[in-house]
Amino acid sequence: MLKSLRYQAVLAFALFTGATAHSQTLAQAGSEQATPATPRTSIPARPLVYPDSVYINPEVRPQFTGGDKAFAAYLSKSIRYPKQALQRNISGRVFVNFVLNAEGKVQDAHVVSGPGNGLNDEALRLVWLMPPWQPARVNGLPVRVACTVPISFNTQR
């Protein structure tokens, strides 16, 4: 009776942990110190990509469509130097943080640091109006990623 209960307990444990070899279960039932069965490996323990997560360092970084030269061309074509900053001869660099979604579109843009006087607002405007980027990828799938872009303003044009 005791051996029968031990066999049922080992069998239930083996089925619970996903062991597929019936011979392992029988061998465990006969031994005093049973070793746990190996779990199945066909079902991953967690998903490969979390779609709601914002990645910081993905396998493949996002890229502005056309590359860095196209990004610089976009900025130089679209930038409108604020009058207030021109009158005060203010220049500097504005750091804008944003999230690129899995489609490459900007979300949650905000200024991290900048000199102000209209430059921060102009940098934010440029980021919100950017065309979609090529999205970041993890395990070959597009994911959301956090980005920070410096936008330089120089009164010496």
Side-chain angles (χ1 to χ4, degrees), residues 70-80 126 130 149-152:
F71 183 64
Y74 164 75
L75 289 178
S76 65
K77 182 185 96 176
S78 303
I79 199 165
R80 292 187 297 204
L126 289 170
M130 283 190 296
V149 174
I151 299 176
S152 296

Side-chain angles (χ1 to χ4, degrees), residues 29-53:
S31 68
E32 284 299 318
Q33 292 180 332
T35 57
T38 57
R40 290 189 319 208
T41 57
S42 62
I43 299 173
R46 60 181 188 178
L48 299 175
V49 174
Y50 295 99
D52 293 335
S53 296

Side-chain angles (χ1 to χ4, degrees), residues 39-127:
R40 290 189 319 208
T41 57
S42 62
I43 299 173
R46 60 181 188 178
L48 299 175
V49 174
Y50 295 99
D52 293 335
S53 296
V54 176
Y55 289 81
I56 296 172
N57 192 15
E59 293 171 359
V60 178
R61 297 284 307 156
Q63 185 176 11
F64 188 83
T65 305
D68 292 339
K69 289 183 181 180
F71 183 64
Y74 164 75
L75 289 178
S76 65
K77 182 185 96 176
S78 303
I79 199 165
R80 292 187 297 204
Y81 214 98
K83 290 181 183 179
Q84 182 181 13
L86 272 176
Q87 290 171 349
R88 295 180 179 176
N89 199 26
I90 295 175
S91 60
R93 187 179 290 174
V94 180
F95 290 91
V96 181
N97 186 281
F98 55 93
V99 173
L100 281 176
N101 66 12
E103 290 83 37
K105 296 179 183 177
V106 174
Q107 296 178 332
D108 304 328
H110 62 278
V111 173
V112 176
S113 67
N117 292 302
L119 297 179
N120 294 359
D121 295 334
E122 177 61 12
L124 206 53
R125 183 189 74 82
L126 289 170
V127 167

